[in-house]
Amino acid sequence: EAGVAQSPRYKIIEKRQSVAFWCNPISGHATLYWYQQILGQGPKLLIQFQNNGVVDDSQLPKDRFSAERLKGVDSTLKIQPAKLEDSAVYLCASSLGRRSNEKLFFGSGTQLSVL
Amino acid sequence: DQQVKQNSPSLSVQEGRISILNCDYTNSMFDYFLWYKKYPAEGPTFLISISSIKDKNEDGRFTVFLNKSAKHLSLHIVPSQPGDSAVYFCAASGDSNFGNEKLTFGTGTRLTIIP
């Protein structure tokens, strides 16, 4: 079974630039999550999709972050414009059901450095 | 406000001995707890979970204990093996019946097993 795929693996940008991350969840998984993990902290949920609808985006900084999940499969997370404090690992995860406390399968993440 | 706390950033244990990782939480609405393990450059992987209706759950070398009155849980690894060297995250969530199942992660404990 293929795991959660994410790209790119690393990204370095300057502040005020824009960046996009891509995620392909495990086939058949209805729920997709984007987490932000800042160095020294635990992952923090940014947004949760069930199929192509948003379930929870309460912690997404909507003035600069956006995410979409077209056709209920792949997802992209965009930051525009980036700030220094956005430097973090962005993790995508998926789960079979809709409950976010069930077993999540994480991708390897995209490490973003904003200079 | 850190609702899930892992107060030990790192822990070193001799191979073959017991590793004990601790986690404290402050939100009394949390009723489901999970441990995730993370190797460098990889996403977290699910390890073991426990519901608040239980005080112990065991899976092979891994046992999680929950003390609800103390709002404390611990992960025991016996015997510890070199492959257990990783960062361990504790996570907690509330009652899914109230749509409160969003996972809150701790900051992680880096476990090093000494051969």
Side-chain angles (χ1 to χ4, degrees):
Chain A
E1 175 182 83
V4 176
Q6 288 189 249
S7 68
R9 188 71 185 87
Y10 303 94
K11 191 73 177 178
I12 300 174
I13 61 172
E14 295 187 348
K15 60 183 179 183
R16 290 187 290 273
Q17 286 187 322
S18 62
V19 65
F21 313 126
W22 173 83
C23 172
N24 181 242
I26 292 173
S27 177
H29 279 196
T31 309
L32 183 147
Y33 314 79
W34 283 101
Y35 282 84
Q36 179 193 59
Q37 186 178 10
I38 293 172
L39 188 64
Q41 300 182 19
K44 183 184 84 170
L45 179 68
L46 291 176
I47 189 167
Q48 176 184 346
F49 292 94
Q50 186 187 0
N51 297 313
N52 60 347
V54 175
V55 174
D56 185 345
D57 64 356
S58 58
Q59 298 188 105
L60 186 74
K62 298 181 187 65
D63 58 334
R64 297 183 302 106
F65 286 63
S66 65
E68 61 182 7
R69 189 183 184 196
L70 298 177
K71 300 180 182 179
V73 182
D74 292 8
S75 177
T76 56
L77 175 70
K78 296 179 182 177
I79 308 175
Q80 182 180 15
K83 292 185 175 181
L84 296 176
E85 59 260 37
D86 298 332
S87 294
V89 175
Y90 290 84
L91 294 162
C92 179
S94 68
S95 64
L96 194 57
R98 68 164 298 277
R99 289 169 47 173
S100 60
N101 63 359
E102 65 179 69
K103 185 176 176 180
L104 302 187
F105 294 82
F106 284 88
S108 298
T110 295
Q111 185 168 331
L112 174 67
S113 297
V114 183
L115 307 178
Chain B
D1 175 29
Q2 192 69 28
Q3 297 187 69
V4 179
K5 301 176 184 177
Q6 295 177 258
N7 292 318
S8 298
S10 62
L11 175 68
S12 294
V13 174
Q14 207 75 29
E15 181 179 358
R17 306 291 288 267
I18 182 172
S19 295
I20 300 177
L21 295 93
N22 294 304
C23 178
D24 297 292
Y25 61 96
T26 57
N27 189 337
S28 58
M29 299 301 290
F30 287 150
D31 66 353
Y32 191 72
F33 306 89
L34 307 90
W35 285 92
Y36 280 81
K37 173 180 176 179
K38 185 182 183 304
Y39 292 119
E42 294 183 14
T45 55
F46 171 79
L47 192 57
I48 193 169
S49 63
I50 188 167
S51 165
S52 61
I53 62 173
K54 301 173 75 173
D55 54 18
K56 175 182 174 181
N57 189 27
E58 193 170 353
D59 183 1
R61 297 186 297 113
F62 302 91
T63 303
V64 56
F65 295 92
L66 175 62
N67 182 333
K68 291 185 290 292
S69 60
K71 295 191 178 68
H72 176 84
L73 63 156
S74 60
L75 175 68
H76 292 212
I77 307 173
V78 182
S80 299
Q81 299 175 355
D84 297 329
S85 295
V87 177
Y88 290 79
F89 290 99
C90 171
S93 70
D95 190 340
S96 60
N97 291 323
F98 294 94
N100 193 29
E101 69 268 26
K102 180 168 61 185
L103 281 180
T104 299
F105 283 84
T107 53
T109 296
R110 180 178 302 277
L111 175 65
T112 302
I113 304 302
I114 304 165

